Amino acid sequence: MCTHRYLFASLCLLLMVSSCQKEAIEEPQTNNLGAENLLMGNPSNAKPNVNQPENYLITRPQYTLAYNRSRGTANWASWYLSKKWLGEIDRQDNFRPDESLPSGWYRVITSDYTNSGFDRGHQCPSGDRTITAGDNSQTFLMTNIIPQAPNHNQGPWAQMEAYSRKLAREGNELYIIMGNYGTGGIGSGGYKEKLANGKITVPKYIWKVILILPEGEEDLRRVNSSTRVIAVNMINRQDVSGLHWSDFRTTVDDIETETGLDLLSALPVSVQVALESKKDTGPIN
Ligand code: MN
Ligand code: MN
């Protein structure tokens, strides 16, 4: 009896395991994309833990971010971009609060930005997620949004986003991390440190790091000391309008020093040392 029960239990377990494996294989590709967003590492060891509200991990198939409740924005966002995310879907424009935040946390609403002098600036851009309406819609959750000076958002920042998509369309895979730090920016209505009665901090600086690989397999293993990495750190002000994104190129080391983050932390230390100390001098459009 005992033996039979044991055999039966083993058989059930075997069936469960094999059906799980089968399901995993049959899952649509989009459900497997989430891990790629954080492939180059978690820069602040963020976790989905309500007890660390200033470094709270939010994971979606479209992007990953570390939310900071006291700032009302993420500290950083990380996402993957290649041709497989680029389609024909129109911008959904459905900015809305992120109801996935823990209960009791303030949810930034669209009107918190209205007439503030700052754009609702995307971290993971709408234009990077155009394969389905559902994917595009996720970029409009307010946790993916930061207060960005309009000339910054629509000027050099938009140019850099367009250049990223060009690289993706040309056959590259991009690992993109962006973030913000500091307090106070100059929007269309002048200098502001906070929006929505203090619930949202206007960042002083907005930075981005892009690691670029030609399409291929085993991306983490293919990164070496000659892989192209672009890093920029741009002040959040209206007067950047005449400038090009490439005017703000810097090193990853500089951004790590300013923010205390460890970027590209999934790479071997020797590769990080080589890549993070270089300032990109590659093509700019
Ligand atoms: Mn934007
Ligand atoms: Mn690093």
Side-chain angles (χ1 to χ4, degrees):
M1 186 61 189
C2 245
T3 315
H4 279 119
R5 197 175 279 173
Y6 174 74
L7 277 175
F8 182 70
S10 308
L11 192 65
C12 282
L13 195 66
L14 200 69
L15 282 169
M16 277 163 66
V17 168
S18 63
S19 75
C20 264
Q21 281 173 342
K22 192 156 172 274
E23 257 173 42
I25 290 162
E26 286 173 359
E27 286 208 336
Q29 194 188 22
T30 45
N31 285 347
N32 295 326
L33 295 176
E36 289 180 317
N37 293 321
L38 213 52
L39 190 72
M40 296 299 154
N42 180 328
S44 60
N45 199 22
K47 292 191 170 71
N49 178 350
V50 294
N51 297 316
Q52 49 177 71
E54 299 189 341
N55 189 24
Y56 179 77
L57 190 73
I58 297 177
T59 307
R60 305 202 151 93
Q62 297 80 18
Y63 53 84
T64 298
L65 53 82
Y67 191 69
N68 185 329
R69 183 180 62 173
S70 63
R71 286 174 70 89
T73 64
N75 296 324
W76 55 260
S78 187
W79 67 99
Y80 167 82
L81 177 62
S82 72
K83 275 205 274 287
K84 69 184 172 188
W85 279 108
L86 298 176
E88 304 292 326
I89 291 295
D90 284 338
R91 181 184 166 93
Q92 300 298 297
D93 240 334
N94 52 348
F95 291 102
R96 61 199 186 282
D98 188 343
E99 300 297 345
S100 81
L101 287 171
S103 63
W105 290 24
Y106 179 70
R107 287 147 169 71
V108 171
I109 57 176
T110 312
S111 59
D112 286 338
Y113 282 65
T114 305
N115 300 322
S116 69
F118 290 87
D119 280 0
R120 296 175 191 93
H122 279 75
Q123 297 176 99
C124 178
S126 164
D128 283 12
R129 296 293 181 254
T130 52
I131 206 79
T132 70
D135 289 316
N136 185 262
S137 173
Q138 293 297 82
T139 70
F140 289 89
L141 289 167
M142 293 304 288
T143 45
N144 186 43
I145 300 302
I146 60 170
Q148 204 173 355
N151 291 346
H152 185 289
N153 179 37
Q154 298 162 34
W157 207 256
Q159 290 166 0
M160 192 180 190
E161 291 173 344
Y163 179 58
S164 304
R165 288 190 286 273
K166 178 181 176 235
L167 290 174
R169 275 188 221 99
E170 287 173 348
N172 293 291
E173 298 184 70
L174 282 68
Y175 291 88
I176 306 174
I177 312 152
M178 80 173 266
N180 67 84
Y181 66 95
T183 299
I186 302 177
S188 57
Y191 180 79
K192 276 189 187 168
E193 296 191 340
K194 303 277 181 180
L195 310 183
N197 298 316
K199 295 192 206 76
I200 303 168
T201 300
V202 177
K204 184 169 187 185
Y205 289 97
I206 302 170
W207 54 268
K208 182 177 268 185
V209 170
I210 308 177
L211 185 145
I212 304 153
L213 290 167
E215 284 176 3
E217 301 299 317
E218 301 275 359
D219 291 354
L220 208 45
R221 289 199 210 162
R222 289 191 292 138
V223 180
N224 60 45
S225 59
S226 45
T227 299
R228 186 175 183 200
V229 175
I230 303 172
V232 297
N233 194 9
M234 238 182 261
I235 195 153
N236 189 20
R237 296 199 322 210
Q238 283 293 73
D239 59 3
V240 299
S241 54
L243 297 166
H244 193 268
W245 68 263
S246 58
D247 296 327
F248 298 92
R249 281 188 285 192
T250 183
T251 65
V252 174
D253 278 342
D254 278 343
I255 296 169
E256 289 186 336
T257 303
E258 293 296 322
T259 61
L261 298 173
D262 185 3
L263 300 165
L264 311 177
S265 60
L267 299 173
V269 170
S270 60
V271 178
Q272 285 185 62
V273 167
L275 293 182
E276 294 178 353
S277 57
K278 274 192 296 197
K279 194 190 281 195
D280 178 63
T281 55
I284 59 171
N285 50 45

